[in-house]
Amino acid sequence: MALTTRTALLVLLGLVPVVLRPAGSTVWLWLAVVVVLVGLDLLLAASPGALSLTREGARQVRMGEAVTTGLVVENTGRRTARGLLRDGWPPSAGASPSRHPLAVPAGERRRVTTTLTPTRRGDRRADRVTVRLHGPLGLAGRQRSVEVPGTLRVLHPFPARKHLPSRLAVLRELDGRAAVRTRGQGTEFDSLRDYVEGDDVRSIDWRATARRRDLVVRTWQPEQHRRVVLVVDTGRTSAGRVGDAPRLDAAMDAALLLTALAGHARDRVQVLAGDRRVHARVTGADRAALLHDVISTLAPVDPHLVETDWGLLAGEVTRSTHRSLVVLLTPLEPAALEEGLLPVLPTLVAHHRVVVASVADPAVAAMRTARADSAQVWEAAAAERTTALRGAAADALGRLGVDVLDAGPDELPVRLADHYLALKRQGLL
Amino acid sequence: MTATATDGDRAVRPATADTRSAARRVRGVVLWALALVVGGALIALAAGRPSPDEYLHPDGTGQTGARALVEVLRDQGVDVEVVETTAEALAAGANAPGTTVVVGNSSLLGETAARDLLRGSRDGDGVVLLDGAPQVLYALGLGLDALPATDDIGPAGCSVRWVRPDDELRRVSWTLVGADEDGASTGGLPPGATGCYEVASGSGDDAPPPGHAAVLVPGTADRAPVTVVGFPDAATNRFVTEADHAGLVVRLLGASPRLVWFHPNAEALAAGPDQGSEPVAPSFLVPATAVLALAVLAFALARGRRLGRLVPERLPVVVRGTETTESRAAMYRAASDRGRAAAVLRRASTTRLASRLGLPAHAPLPTVVAATAAATGLAPSEVDAVLRDSVPPDEAALVRLAQQLTRLEEKVSTP
């Protein structure tokens, strides 16, 4: 049950009888009148239990965009349901409006639409839906909360996707050249098809021709199915915020751009995200669905405040013995790298091409150059020290034969994509 | 520089500074509370005690108080009781034979209080109005009025118990004349009244007839005899020893074994008219207040009911990526390790210069100095002074060094 402010006004109206008949009993009589009216209103209000609620609407949205989620309210009772409805969502789901007026005649259904503008990546679960139905006098209402399950997956905004068209153009150029250079050698069997004039007679499959009694040629295609493994570190060092988002988001941005690019280049992409355990694993079998799968799987992955177990992640990578391009997306934190990553790198480097991509903080670069007063100079010295330590860590990795990319959150996806294209151009995959 | 050093100190020990300032805050609050309590108690004491200069107050020790007179009366064996309201005066036995009631400062005597006092003390020995001011006389309806007196004071000229023929009187404030119901002067005293000390109220031809400095109005069935005195200053500490004042007022007030000194206060004045039967507040005040309270309660209940529970949410950890760097800067600064900071800055600049000038990353310093000097056109010694390790003597030197390094790098990149 819930009262409305109209009840308070009704009580206030009791001033009139009290002035006309100033006695304590008048107050009690008026209170009794109010209580009776409220009780009557409650009795005459529609029952919230007679409403059946069904959720409909979008299941996922890219962060920064708005989406609507609907509730279909069906009144199975015999009275018109009038009142308020609140669709409870967590604050970061950005639900608006927070409460809806409701008027559903008996036996009819109405749709209530809430706009969600999420402010954070991840899964948002709808909380209870609360319905408060007022009586005909509007003095009191019956209230009930019910679970109407619903989940909205807020996807990574993937801002680096704007760089994809230009990189794909580079890739197509590369493919043409690579095809010219590698025709007739180092190729893989693709399929059989009927012979058409102009085909190379050397590619006729005589055995199949004998079975079909038609000329059949084998088709070949250049080696494309290179394996690319993207390892996203979700350990404690990825929780540090660069600008407004954690480093992990920038690393994911880079991973998504490379996934899209490598998918178009017909490479087999595998994405791993984990720290002490693997939180997400996507193996791209279907090229068309790959990017979507990766975005969707990475959406609920958040940084964890644990030290990354590189032995575990390296084990996941080396499960397949194929030579792969292994991209480790982890911040260059010297201490964490020395303890965790350096010991497992030699085995990885022995079998795979390893690239470490790290999100640098532009704020450190800014601290490095600002030298106006003594406080800034102390910070500049500290920033120089941080930069030097990162440089030393990068050097140590480089000596092991690892390519190190260290760039700010905006440049890193482009740098990584360009590095991939350069490797592909040189046939180093 | 000292300012920066203090800044540094503050940055070093934030925790200690916090606890210290917290302790100081608590101490401040306690001191303020203590001061408030003590001050409040003092004010309360001062408010409870009358001002020593309050006019004709029996406990007043100032120039205008009447403590001296009361002490003398007590020495003479008169039982003096001080009251502040009519009810207290009646309770103190104003109506008993052998008791005189004296009204000192009558400026705060309300009309109702005065009438009640007169009626209530009708069986007593008498009522003395020390300060026969016009407004109180009019209120009492004794048929008397008071006019401002001049210094032209005649001899006693009357046979009253407390006046001796040769008593000299000064400081007369009011001269008392007879008056009718409307307050118009009648020129003579009311019937049966005795006046002493003829005093003129003005000079010249159109001056009103002279009145008296003291008038005794005999008692009736409704009230005790009333003595109205027009020389209140004579009873004050300042003037009581002047002329024959002391004898006059002591004889006047010391006639009975018991004296009730009625000193009306502001409360008595305020409470005066309230003794009537008509209430100020309307009768529906209490029930209306109850209705208002109920309405507020209903409003609180209506607004307090939530439309569904609060939705909790797990929030992500917020760690700034620059936190370690900032902490390192704070540490350098706390330790004031200028040597370390200078070395770090120089090494970083040297490495960048080397790479920009095409030298190997770990080229020896003299090579870098020579190449830099050649590229910028500066003297090698000048470049060497910037790049060679030395501990800056103070923070200003460190800042200068950092800025020199920046300029050097800028010169190399944009010759």
Side-chain angles (χ1 to χ4, degrees):
Chain A
M1 123 159 211
L3 295 177
T4 63
T5 45
R6 204 180 281 187
T7 312
L9 286 177
L10 184 67
V11 174
L12 206 58
L13 208 61
L15 284 177
V16 176
V18 156
V19 169
L20 293 179
R21 182 175 169 274
S25 58
T26 317
V27 180
W28 292 114
L29 277 175
W30 185 256
L31 191 62
V33 167
V34 172
V35 168
V36 166
L37 285 176
V38 166
L40 197 68
D41 210 28
L42 275 178
L43 276 179
L44 293 177
S47 164
L51 296 182
S52 86
L53 300 163
T54 327
R55 190 176 290 282
E56 59 172 32
R59 310 298 295 273
Q60 60 181 30
V61 64
R62 182 176 280 150
M63 197 179 98
E65 293 172 7
V67 73
T68 58
T69 176
L71 277 171
V72 177
V73 185
E74 186 178 0
N75 188 354
T76 60
R78 280 180 297 171
R79 290 177 188 150
T80 302
R82 264 173 225 290
L84 292 170
L85 181 144
R86 170 175 173 253
D87 193 3
W89 284 91
S92 77
S96 112
S98 60
R99 47 180 64 196
H100 308 267
L102 198 67
V104 191
E108 294 191 20
R109 47 170 68 189
R110 293 280 185 276
R111 180 177 285 107
V112 173
T113 310
T114 307
T115 306
L116 302 175
T117 316
T119 52
R120 274 201 300 123
R121 188 167 52 78
D123 284 348
R124 297 284 163 275
R125 270 179 195 83
D127 201 67
R128 294 176 179 176
V129 175
T130 306
V131 181
R132 180 185 289 179
L133 298 181
H134 294 149
L137 299 175
L139 290 176
R142 299 167 71 178
Q143 182 169 324
R144 190 160 176 259
S145 294
V146 285
E147 297 274 2
V148 185
T151 306
L152 181 73
R153 176 155 287 191
V154 187
L155 305 176
H156 195 286
F158 191 14
R161 66 181 186 278
K162 61 177 181 279
H163 300 296
L164 192 56
S166 61
R167 267 51 194 185
L168 284 178
V170 176
L171 186 67
R172 277 194 291 277
E173 221 171 83
L174 209 68
D175 266 356
R177 238 190 295 157
V180 169
R181 203 171 60 197
T182 58
R183 173 173 291 171
Q185 48 172 312
T187 53
E188 286 180 6
F189 172 70
D190 187 32
S191 60
L192 294 173
R193 62 168 169 80
D194 286 342
Y195 174 83
V196 276
E197 271 183 49
D199 277 342
D200 191 347
V201 290
R202 284 178 298 179
S203 63
I204 294 173
D205 185 340
W206 293 108
R207 196 174 300 185
T209 304
R211 273 203 299 276
R212 294 267 315 266
R213 299 183 172 228
D214 269 325
L215 279 176
V216 171
V217 290
R218 291 181 185 190
T219 58
W220 310 85
Q221 66 176 181
E223 273 183 1
Q224 289 174 324
H225 298 284
R226 292 297 172 199
R227 195 164 161 256
V228 178
V229 184
L230 297 164
V231 181
V232 182
D233 173 14
T234 63
R236 63 173 179 91
T237 51
S238 69
R241 278 176 185 251
V242 173
D244 205 22
R247 281 202 172 103
L248 180 64
D249 282 23
M252 279 185 186
D253 201 16
L256 291 174
L257 183 63
L258 188 54
T259 304
L261 195 58
H264 278 280
R266 294 169 198 279
D267 283 332
R268 281 177 300 156
V269 181
Q270 189 185 6
V271 179
L272 282 172
D275 36 73
R276 298 208 74 79
R277 61 188 187 84
V278 178
H279 296 295
R281 183 190 288 115
V282 187
T283 308
D286 181 4
R287 189 167 69 93
L290 174 70
L291 185 63
H292 178 264
D293 282 357
V294 174
I295 291 186
S296 179
T297 315
L298 286 184
V301 174
D302 278 326
H304 289 69
L305 292 188
V306 293
E307 195 70 50
T308 308
D309 181 358
W310 283 107
L312 173 87
L313 295 179
E316 287 287 330
V317 173
T318 48
R319 199 177 274 177
S320 157
T321 49
H322 286 106
R323 184 174 170 80
S324 323
L325 170 67
V326 179
V327 180
L328 305 177
L329 290 144
T330 179
L332 271 179
E333 293 293 336
L337 285 190
E338 274 166 29
E339 296 293 323
L341 184 56
L342 279 184
V344 305
L345 267 183
T347 39
L348 272 185
V349 173
H351 295 103
H352 306 285
R353 177 106 206 158
V354 180
V355 176
V356 169
S358 154
V359 183
D361 194 342
V364 172
M367 278 164 81
R368 215 159 50 75
T369 47
R371 297 177 174 190
D373 57 33
S374 83
Q376 287 188 350
V377 167
W378 288 118
E379 289 192 346
E384 290 283 19
R385 180 69 185 151
T386 304
T387 314
L389 286 173
R390 284 174 80 98
D395 285 350
L397 293 176
R399 277 196 296 280
L400 284 171
V402 174
D403 302 329
V404 179
L405 303 174
D406 189 15
D410 294 335
E411 301 101 70
L412 186 68
V414 185
R415 288 273 305 274
L416 185 59
D418 287 348
H419 190 73
Y420 166 78
L421 290 173
L423 288 176
K424 215 167 173 54
R425 181 178 292 129
Q426 294 162 19
L428 289 175
L429 286 180
Chain B
M1 266 313 109
T2 45
T4 2
T6 14
D7 276 352
D9 282 348
R10 214 165 46 211
V12 184
R13 295 189 296 269
T16 341
D18 269 357
T19 46
R20 214 166 45 199
S21 71
R24 200 178 295 149
R25 243 190 338 262
V26 167
R27 206 166 56 205
V29 168
V30 167
L31 281 178
W32 272 111
L34 208 66
L36 272 179
V37 168
V38 170
L42 285 177
I43 288 171
L45 272 180
R49 180 169 298 181
S51 151
D53 277 333
E54 196 172 333
Y55 191 60
L56 284 181
H57 193 282
D59 288 333
T61 53
Q63 299 264 5
T64 52
R67 178 74 175 267
L69 173 61
V70 170
E71 288 299 316
V72 169
L73 286 170
R74 282 187 175 139
D75 283 350
Q76 299 292 320
V78 178
D79 176 16
V80 181
E81 184 165 351
V82 178
V83 297
E84 292 195 330
T85 63
T86 317
E88 277 176 21
L90 299 182
N95 204 18
T99 304
T100 302
V101 177
V102 59
V103 181
N105 183 359
S106 58
S107 63
L108 286 175
L109 183 67
E111 188 174 334
T112 326
R115 285 180 194 279
D116 285 351
L117 183 71
L118 277 193
R119 204 179 308 125
S121 60
R122 59 182 173 274
D123 295 333
D125 279 3
V127 175
V128 177
L129 289 176
L130 264 188
D131 185 6
Q135 68 273 16
V136 65
L137 289 178
Y138 178 71
L140 288 173
L142 294 172
L144 281 176
D145 193 10
L147 299 170
T150 58
D151 287 342
D152 182 13
I153 306 168
C158 65
S159 59
V160 185
R161 183 187 45 75
W162 53 276
V163 183
R164 292 180 184 164
D166 54 347
D167 277 348
E168 191 196 348
L169 177 66
R170 293 181 205 159
R171 310 284 166 196
V172 177
S173 304
W174 311 103
T175 174
L176 305 165
V177 295
D180 58 15
E181 295 270 310
D182 300 328
S185 179
T186 55
L189 291 174
T194 314
C196 301
Y197 295 104
E198 201 162 85
V199 179
S201 64
S203 58
D205 295 337
D206 53 348
H212 295 87
V215 173
L216 172 67
V217 184
T220 64
D222 280 347
R223 56 170 168 78
V226 178
T227 309
V228 183
V229 176
F231 44 94
D233 286 349
T236 60
N237 293 340
R238 182 174 181 191
F239 297 118
V240 75
T241 51
E242 207 179 55
D244 294 322
H245 294 165
L248 276 170
V249 288
V250 168
R251 280 196 298 276
L252 171 62
L253 300 179
S256 310
R258 190 169 154 77
L259 180 68
V260 174
W261 192 298
F262 182 29
H263 186 85
N265 60 8
E267 281 169 43
L269 180 66
D274 275 357
Q275 288 168 346
S277 58
E278 193 173 327
V280 168
S283 55
F284 57 79
L285 182 73
V286 176
T289 312
V291 167
L292 281 176
L294 286 172
V296 168
L297 184 70
F299 185 75
L301 284 176
R303 298 309 302 246
R305 179 81 160 105
R306 219 169 233 301
L307 189 60
R309 64 177 182 188
L310 282 176
V311 184
E313 181 173 13
R314 285 182 67 114
L315 290 176
V317 205
V318 178
V319 192
R320 275 172 304 119
T322 52
E323 211 156 73
T324 45
T325 309
E326 279 163 12
S327 310
R328 181 175 281 132
M331 246 152 62
Y332 283 171
R333 193 174 177 176
S336 210
D337 197 347
R338 293 183 296 273
R340 171 86 175 156
V344 166
L345 289 170
R346 280 191 176 114
R347 200 170 310 142
S349 291
T350 312
T351 313
R352 277 196 291 273
L353 285 173
S355 73
R356 209 162 284 161
L357 294 169
L359 300 170
H362 297 287
L365 186 63
T367 322
V368 179
V369 168
T372 309
T376 55
L378 294 170
S381 60
E382 211 175 319
V383 178
D384 187 70
V386 177
L387 288 182
R388 185 170 298 283
D389 275 351
S390 65
V391 179
D394 55 18
E395 288 204 352
L398 180 65
V399 173
R400 272 200 305 279
L401 171 70
Q403 289 166 352
Q404 281 168 345
L405 286 169
T406 308
R407 273 200 294 278
L408 197 60
E409 287 185 50
E410 278 168 2
K411 268 187 187 153
V412 170
S413 53
T414 55

